[in-house]
Amino acid sequence: MARFHYTVLSRAHGGREEEFIRWYVEQHLPDVTSMPGVVSGKLFRMDFQRVYDLDAPQWTLMTLYELEGEHPEPIIDALKAASGSAVMSACDALDKSGMIQAAGHLIAEIGEETQK
């Protein structure tokens, strides 16, 4: 099976970030990682971003998921279908405007581990 990385850039509605992060850590990550094809998930607070479109939103969170399957799209479609259901609750603190979702597979790697 192929491995893919699925990245989500998101943010909460103003003044609701801590509520959103609490839901994300306590509810959403466990829900997503229990779905078939999802190997792991990591949530990061954004420290820096550079966007070349002045109208683009400023994201505050970045989630990196590792997926395993023949192709990432069916896994992501299953996540979308489950979102907001009894299997995967939604959080109204999420601001979906400008949210980015992207998936890809590794084609090269350079770093400490690969240079030993």
Side-chain angles (χ1 to χ4, degrees), residues 2-6 66-67 72 103-111 114:
R3 290 273 174 129
F4 300 91
H5 285 88
Y6 174 43
E66 188 171 5
L67 309 178
H105 63 278
L106 183 66
I107 59 172
E109 182 175 14
I110 300 294
T114 59

Side-chain angles (χ1 to χ4, degrees), residues 61-95:
L61 299 171
M62 176 176 61
T63 311
L64 300 178
Y65 295 103
E66 188 171 5
L67 309 178
E68 185 174 71
E70 294 301 318
H71 196 275
E73 193 171 7
I75 300 167
I76 295 167
D77 288 346
L79 294 172
K80 184 178 178 183
S83 182
S85 72
V87 175
M88 188 182 302
S89 69
C91 178
D92 66 354
L94 169 64
D95 181 352

Side-chain angles (χ1 to χ4, degrees), residues 29-80:
L29 280 174
D31 286 349
V32 172
T33 56
S34 71
M35 296 287 290
V38 181
V39 176
S40 65
K42 298 176 184 178
L43 179 64
F44 298 84
R45 188 180 304 271
M46 297 286 286
D47 294 319
F48 172 81
Q49 66 180 299
R50 180 173 291 142
V51 180
Y52 294 99
D53 177 352
L54 296 179
D55 293 329
Q58 292 294 304
W59 298 281
T60 58
L61 299 171
M62 176 176 61
T63 311
L64 300 178
Y65 295 103
E66 188 171 5
L67 309 178
E68 185 174 71
E70 294 301 318
H71 196 275
E73 193 171 7
I75 300 167
I76 295 167
D77 288 346
L79 294 172
K80 184 178 178 183

